[in-house]
Structure formats: C-alpha cells, structure tokens
C-alpha cells in the first residue's frame, strides 16, 4: 500500500504541473467545457442505438429449437429491422448532432471567458459549422458530419469563430448607435459583421476545398486521417492502427469511425476463414479475427470499462455519477460519456493508460488465442451486443467470457494510478 501511494505521489509530481498548465489554457478549457454540452445527448442517444440492435444473430436462430427468450429477441430484432429509421431517429438527432452541439458549446465557453456575448457566439459557430458540414445534393442534406465525424472541424470552428468575433471587438469595428436605441437592436447590428466574416472565411474555405479536391473540408480531413489499409493484417500493424484511432480520440476526433472500415472488414474476413476451416474439419488458424476488433473497443475506445469501475467507487461525487451513467453504454462498447464527460479528451493524465490499456489487452488476447487458452472467433456476432456476451457468441467458448472479465480488471489496474492522481487533484480543489 505504501509503495502504491509512493508511486502515485511520484506520478502526481510529474503529471500534475503539466495538467495544471494545460488546464489553465483558455482554449483547452473551452474545448473541455464545451464538449460537456453534448453529454446528456450522448447518453440518451446511446440507449436508442442499443435498442435498435438487439443481441441476436438471426443467421444462427432456429425457431423450432429456440426458447422463450430467444424468440423474444428474434421478435425484437424483426421489429427493430422493420422500424430501424424510426427507432434510430432520436440517436441521429442526439449523438448524431454531437459535432453541432460541441461547436456551439465550445464557442459559448470561449466567448464567455473572453467576456463576449456567449450565446450569440455559440449560435454563430453552430450555424457556420452546419454550413461547412452539411453538403446538399439534389435537395437532400447529408448529416454524416454533424456527429462525431465532424468533431475535429467543430473544435476548429468553435475556437476560431470566436477569435474572429474577438478581432472585431478588440479593434472596435462595430456600429455606434445612439443611447436611445434598445440594447437588443445594437447587439443585432454588431453581430452582422462577425457573422458575415465567419461565413466568408470558413464556408469560403469549404468551397475552395470542394473546387480543388471535389470534397468538402470535413470529408478531406477524414480522408487524410484514415490509415493505410496494408498495415492491418499483422499484429504490429493492427496495434498501430488501433493506437492511432485512440490518439485521435484524445484530440476529440472519433478515431474509431476512422479505423472501423479497415479493421472491421479485416475481422469479418478472418472470421469467415476460421468458419470455413471449422466446417472442413481443420484447425482454425486466423488470429486477427473479429474477436480482436471487439477487444480493441471493449468497453469503448481506450478499454475504459476498468476506468468506469474505478469511477463508480471514486471519492469524487462527479466521477461516481459519470461512472454510473457510463456503465450500461460501456457494456455495449459505447463510451462517449466517459471520453467527453470525465473528460479523457485533452487529458494528459489519462492519455497514457488510454493508449496502453488496449494494447495490453490485444497482446494478451493474441497470445491467448495462439496458445489455445481461449477459442478463436468463427461467428460474426451482432454489433452493440454486451461484450461479455460477444465473447461467447463469437467463439461458443465459455473460456472467452472468463478471459474478457479478466481483461476488465487488467484495464482497471493500468488506469488505477493515473486515475488516483486525477482524483487526488480534484479532491484538493474541492477542499
């Protein structure tokens, strides 16, 4: 216990000055505070996404042999498929608008810190972001980049749009109105120039990208961030890609959505090869199967389920609350409540375990498969199924369930000293 406390103190001495310096930086504070605006929308949206994807694989379902529970799940699945657009509408307009909400929240927070009109700057940022991230084609508006896919652009516009407004304020470029004019009219008039400037700068930049690259700005950003596909087939390449995705998460970019097409497609192919080998009576040999992808996001990016357990037992009431509301989404590998609510984004203290925990989990899984300690995945299990159930459904091996639980505690051990540093600092602030 003393050794553990000593290590935490040493870690605190190294990380706390860095965290304090970054924490006092107004733009980083604005990002952290602004993203909290999206937290309730993320939590509610995640539940609708889970409801739209019940945990059953209909290809494996046999109504003649199924029990009452499986029949219930099958009926639920049929209902969800038939009404998917209706069920996921709350998701699309909550979590699907996280970028838009964050653009408002970040600008609002920064403008408030500068002493500017916070609400008006938030609206200017949100409107400008919507212009940049909603391409119109044949009268239809795409919502693809209003969510987490556009979060990096939301951060840029949220910060820079306020700086544009601040330029007009500091240079006193504004309309001078008589005292008899109502304040609301004055505010309206003095909002016109900063709003026009923001639209010209950011929407103009977007049009320039569209003309030169045939892509809107957020689309071009996502393409640049997408890793090369030829790295995914090896363990080293897979670890590199997963780590890249998690690095992007630390900067508020949905790294999982960037690496998902690559690693998920690879996992499905390798799982199919294992199924073919099993059907032919051969030993399964493909280790980079879908199970590896599931482990890489077990509890969400950064393997945060262990962190959630620590938060639920924290001495800080705020951490306990976020931990409790993050538990159920985390079981289905949805952890935006932790990433943006704690937050992990731009958090130098939790950055190291956020990057290391998934790597350790993947290495342990790889060698556990190689040594025959757990079964290889040969079934393509449903997405958004609680990861403990996925461990069994993908391999039909109970050892995988035990191993998954073991990985949760492994992650908790990795996060423990770093979380304690953060908890200690928060308790000191409260006192």
């Amino acid at each position: 216990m003393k050794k553990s406390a000593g290590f935490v103190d040493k870690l605190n001495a190294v990380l706390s000055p860095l965290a304090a310096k970054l924490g006092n930086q107004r733009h980083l504070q604005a990002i952290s505070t602004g993203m909290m605006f999206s937290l309730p929308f993320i939590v509610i949206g995640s539940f609708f996404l889970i409801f739209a994807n019940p945990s059953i694989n209909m290809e494996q379902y046999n109504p003649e042999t199924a029990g009452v529970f499986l029949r219930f799940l099958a009926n639920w699945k049929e209902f969800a498929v038939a009404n998917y657009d209706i069920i996921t509408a709350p998701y699309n307009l909550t979590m699907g608008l996280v970028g838009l909400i964050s653009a408002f929240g970040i600008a609002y927070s920064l403008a408030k810190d500068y002493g500017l009109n916070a609400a008006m700057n938030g609206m200017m940022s949100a409107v400008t972001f919507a212009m940049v991230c909603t391409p119109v084609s044949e009268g239809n508006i795409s919502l693809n980049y209003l969510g987490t896919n556009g979060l990096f652009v939301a951060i840029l516009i949220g910060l820079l749009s306020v700086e544009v407004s601040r330029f007009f304020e500091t240079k006193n470029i504004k309309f001078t109105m008589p005292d008899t004019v109502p304040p609301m009219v004055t505010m309206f008039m003095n909002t016109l120039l900063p709003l026009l400037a923001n639209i010209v700068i950011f929407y103009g930049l977007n049009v320039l990208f569209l003309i030169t690259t045939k892509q809107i700005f957020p689309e071009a950003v996502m393409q640049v961030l997408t890793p090369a596909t030829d790295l995914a087939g090896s363990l080293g390449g897979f670890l590199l890609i997963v780590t890249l995705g998690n690095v992007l998460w630390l900067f508020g970019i949905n790294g999982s959505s960037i690496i998902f097409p690559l690693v998920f497609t690879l996992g499905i192919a390798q799982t199919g090869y294992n199924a073919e080998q099993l059907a032919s009576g051969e030993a399964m040999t493909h280790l980079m199967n879908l199970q590896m992808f599931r482990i890489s996001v077990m509890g969400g990016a950064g393997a945060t389920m262990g962190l959630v357990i620590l938060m639920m037992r924290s001495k800080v009431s705020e951490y306990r609350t976020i931990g409790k509301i993050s538990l159920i989404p985390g079981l289905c590998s949805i952890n935006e409540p932790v990433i943006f609510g704690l937050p992990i984004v731009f958090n130098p203290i939790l950055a190291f375990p956020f990057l290391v925990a998934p790597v350790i989990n993947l290495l342990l899984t790889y060698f556990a498969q190689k040594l025959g300690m757990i079964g290889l995945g040969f079934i393509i299990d449903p997405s958004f199924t609680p990861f403990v159930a996925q461990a069994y459904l993908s391999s039909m091996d109970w050892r995988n369930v035990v191993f998954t639980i073991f990985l949760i505690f492994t992650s908790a051990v990795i996060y423990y000293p770093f979380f304690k540093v953060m908890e200690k600092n928060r308790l000191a602030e409260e006192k």
Side-chain angles (χ1 to χ4, degrees):
M1 209 56 190
K2 288 183 179 179
K3 287 184 178 179
S4 175
F7 177 70
V8 170
D9 289 338
K10 290 178 181 179
L11 201 61
N12 185 32
V14 174
L15 295 178
S16 292
L18 176 62
K21 186 173 182 179
L22 292 177
N24 292 327
Q25 211 287 323
R26 58 163 39 105
H27 295 88
L28 296 183
Q29 281 184 330
I31 293 171
S32 177
T33 305
M35 284 182 178
M36 286 292 290
F37 279 62
S38 66
L39 183 58
F41 301 92
I42 290 171
V43 173
I44 296 301
S46 66
F47 284 111
F48 281 93
L49 190 60
I50 294 169
F51 182 74
N53 294 273
S55 305
I56 183 171
N57 189 335
M58 295 301 289
E59 294 180 2
Q60 305 293 323
Y61 173 69
N62 186 345
E64 297 179 359
T65 59
V68 175
F69 182 65
L70 282 178
R71 291 186 179 185
F72 167 74
L73 287 178
N75 290 331
W76 178 5
K77 182 70 173 181
E78 291 175 0
F79 172 80
V81 170
N83 300 277
Y84 192 80
D85 290 339
I86 296 174
I87 296 171
T88 55
Y91 163 79
N92 292 329
L93 296 175
T94 51
M95 192 183 293
L97 296 180
V98 163
L100 181 64
I101 297 167
S102 297
F104 174 89
I106 292 168
Y108 180 96
S109 302
L110 183 59
K112 186 176 181 181
D113 187 55
Y114 277 135
L116 304 176
N117 187 316
M120 188 56 70
N121 274 274
M123 287 302 301
M124 284 194 288
S125 172
V127 169
T128 306
F129 173 81
M131 288 183 185
V132 172
C133 291
T134 52
V136 179
S137 177
E138 298 179 356
N140 297 318
I141 297 177
S142 172
L143 304 180
N144 290 341
Y145 296 101
L146 292 183
T148 52
N149 285 340
L151 197 52
F152 182 69
V153 178
I155 293 172
L156 289 178
I157 291 179
L159 297 176
L160 296 178
S161 64
V162 175
E163 295 296 340
V164 171
S165 297
R166 182 168 171 261
F167 173 82
F168 281 85
E169 183 71 24
T170 56
K171 298 299 182 181
N172 201 30
I173 305 174
K174 58 176 66 175
F175 296 102
T176 302
M177 310 295 289
D179 294 338
T180 55
V181 175
M184 284 300 296
V185 175
T186 303
M187 183 188 72
F188 156 71
M189 293 296 296
N190 287 322
T191 300
L192 296 178
L193 291 179
L195 175 60
L196 177 62
N198 275 303
I199 292 174
V200 170
I201 292 171
F202 297 110
Y203 186 65
L205 178 65
N206 191 54
V207 172
L208 183 61
F209 265 87
L210 190 60
I211 293 173
T212 56
T213 68
K214 306 301 181 184
Q215 296 176 319
I216 60 173
F217 179 63
E219 188 178 4
V221 170
M222 292 291 285
Q223 185 173 14
V224 169
L225 296 175
T226 301
T229 57
D230 58 354
L231 293 175
S234 65
L235 175 62
F238 188 84
L239 292 175
L240 180 62
I241 291 169
V242 169
T243 301
L244 172 62
N246 290 336
V247 167
L248 295 176
W249 268 118
L250 292 174
F251 290 93
I253 305 167
N254 188 340
S256 299
S257 69
I258 294 173
I259 68 171
F260 176 84
L262 179 60
V263 295
F264 190 71
T265 302
L266 170 72
I268 288 178
Q270 298 265 334
T271 301
Y273 296 150
N274 282 339
E276 292 174 5
Q277 289 178 321
L278 184 67
S280 303
E282 303 173 7
M284 294 181 288
T285 58
H286 298 276
L287 304 181
M288 305 304 296
N289 53 74
L290 192 60
Q291 183 170 254
M292 289 288 283
F293 170 71
R294 301 297 191 203
I295 293 297
S296 73
V297 293
M298 187 183 72
T304 54
M305 183 51 63
L307 176 61
V308 168
I309 293 174
L310 294 175
M311 291 168 63
M312 292 174 65
R313 300 176 59 84
S314 175
K315 298 175 183 178
V316 179
S317 59
E318 178 188 346
Y319 294 165
R320 288 199 305 273
T321 301
I322 296 175
K324 289 174 183 177
I325 66 174
S326 301
L327 179 61
I328 294 178
L331 289 173
C332 298
S333 299
I334 299 171
N335 69 338
E336 279 87 347
V338 180
I339 290 179
F340 298 117
L342 188 57
I344 293 175
V345 172
F346 290 102
N347 188 330
I349 294 178
L350 293 181
F352 180 80
F354 187 80
L355 297 177
V356 170
V359 172
I360 298 299
N361 283 354
L362 286 168
L363 287 172
L364 291 173
T365 304
Y366 181 86
F367 288 109
Q369 289 183 124
K370 195 173 185 65
L371 297 173
M373 298 171 63
I374 60 174
L376 272 66
F378 64 93
I379 298 173
I380 300 174
D381 55 274
S383 297
F384 304 106
T385 302
F387 57 77
V388 176
Q390 280 180 339
Y392 180 77
L393 293 174
S394 64
S395 61
M396 305 305 262
D397 192 333
W398 63 268
R399 295 178 302 171
N400 292 41
V401 177
V402 176
F403 184 75
T404 297
I405 296 172
F406 165 73
L407 291 181
I408 296 173
F409 289 100
T410 300
S411 299
V413 170
I414 295 171
Y415 273 102
Y416 179 80
F418 300 90
F419 176 71
K420 282 300 178 182
V421 168
M422 200 168 83
E423 182 184 57
K424 183 177 180 180
N425 290 341
R426 177 54 63 88
L427 288 172
E429 290 174 7
E430 291 180 354
K431 289 179 180 179

